[in-house]
Amino acid sequence: MERLEELLGVPVERVTTLGTGHAWTLSRATLADGREVFVKAADDQAGAFAAEAAGLRWLRQGDDPPVPEVLAADERLLVLPWLPGEPATRAAAERFGRELAALHATGAPSFGAPWQGYIAHLPLDNTPGDRWPRWYAERRIAPFLRSAARHLDAAETRLVERVMDGIEALAGPDEPPARIHGDLWSGNVLWSGGRGWMIDPAAHGGHRETDLAMLALFGAPHLDRILAAYREAGPLADGWRARVALHQLHPLLVHVTLYGSAYRDAAVRAARSALRASG
């Protein structure tokens, strides 16, 4: 990889292709100085790579957060340290819960972010806002309802619209912007060295319950220990469990957009659950 050598200033001895993800190729490279790095490469993902690099650097501004360093990034490559994977343990899960609470507590200037966001290869509108309920409805749910609508019937579309209409009552107590990962499903937590490392962020100033709902969406290992440790470090507002479906609605609409009707029923159930939680 000539470009990789130019970015790092170190010869590359070996590259192992790991597969593909969305629009990019994933590789593990061994450098002449003995380091191993993870490389994400694509021909036309400049915006997505810039957003990911900006998000990782922003998330790393806390006190030793579990976020890998960006070693290099340009319009075609994103390079991170190689983190050898290992099974999640209860102790690592508890540490991750505490570290996630600490990261959230570092806060953000507003909801949103000063860069164009991406989730997978799809653009995210990070235009800043002052209050989370309307920001979430307008910047997260509405755009992906439009893109997912071809897989929903009129009644299902209206169901999601009812969530947006009632968002102020559904969102729970006001909270200040938290510094969140934004796409924290279990596949974006890499267990290595006794920690859970956060990768592939859609980072922004958001609601901390969003990250916790994402961990639950596809079943993070030892989720009960993550949540217990998180709540000890950063207690949650009453009713947070009832709001999980509200926070899962956006990522489920993203999945409908990406993968079609396979996620339609889950998105509709989330909308119904969010509305039931209001009373």
Side-chain angles (χ1 to χ4, degrees):
M1 282 191 172
E2 181 177 340
R3 183 57 182 157
L4 179 59
E5 292 181 340
E6 292 175 358
L7 286 174
L8 296 178
V10 180
V12 177
E13 291 190 344
R14 184 173 61 255
V15 175
T16 303
T17 300
L18 304 174
T20 59
H22 299 293
W24 34 79
T25 300
L26 311 176
S27 303
R28 175 181 180 178
T30 302
L31 308 181
D33 61 9
R35 288 180 296 161
E36 291 190 309
V37 297
F38 172 80
V39 183
K40 185 182 288 189
D43 292 331
D44 59 354
Q45 291 297 310
F49 286 178
E52 184 172 348
L56 288 168
R57 288 166 174 149
W58 185 65
L59 292 172
R60 276 182 59 85
Q61 292 176 13
D63 182 15
D64 190 30
V67 180
E69 178 186 4
V70 177
L71 300 177
D74 69 1
E75 68 277 4
R76 290 185 291 151
L77 295 177
L78 178 70
V79 188
L80 308 176
W82 177 258
L83 297 172
E86 64 189 23
T89 64
R90 288 171 61 88
E94 291 170 358
R95 178 176 179 178
F96 181 70
R98 293 189 296 271
E99 291 181 330
L100 182 61
L103 174 64
H104 288 169
T106 61
S110 65
F111 297 102
W115 57 80
Q116 169 64 53
Y118 281 82
I119 187 164
H121 60 279
L122 302 176
L124 280 174
D125 184 354
N126 275 341
T127 302
D130 295 330
R131 295 191 66 250
W132 184 79
R134 291 309 330 157
W135 184 90
Y136 181 63
E138 295 169 4
R139 307 299 179 193
R140 291 297 183 261
I141 299 178
F144 287 92
L145 177 59
R146 289 192 293 270
S147 59
R150 66 186 183 277
H151 302 290
L152 306 173
D153 63 29
E156 292 164 340
T157 299
R158 181 55 192 152
L159 189 70
V160 179
E161 290 173 341
R162 286 175 55 203
V163 174
M164 291 190 290
D165 292 343
I167 193 74
E168 297 288 348
L170 301 176
D174 281 345
E175 291 208 1
R179 189 170 301 231
I180 73 168
H181 177 283
D183 189 18
L184 199 60
W185 70 288
S186 58
N188 284 343
V189 181
L190 175 61
W191 301 95
S192 181
R195 303 178 81 178
W197 294 85
M198 291 182 277
I199 58 174
D200 294 342
H204 62 277
H207 198 302
R208 59 201 181 114
E209 290 176 15
T210 295
D211 275 351
L212 301 180
M214 282 296 296
L215 286 169
L217 185 55
F218 299 117
H222 303 296
L223 180 61
D224 59 333
R225 302 315 309 154
I226 295 173
L227 293 176
Y230 183 101
R231 293 174 66 196
E232 288 178 6
L236 296 166
D238 290 346
W240 68 272
R241 291 187 186 276
R243 293 187 291 272
V244 167
L246 175 64
H247 290 268
Q248 291 178 343
L249 181 56
H250 165 245
L252 286 169
L253 290 173
V254 171
H255 276 68
V256 175
T257 299
L258 287 170
Y259 306 115
S261 58
Y263 287 92
R264 168 184 171 177
D265 289 349
V268 171
R269 285 196 301 271
R272 288 194 179 119
S273 295
L275 289 169
R276 282 198 301 270
S278 67

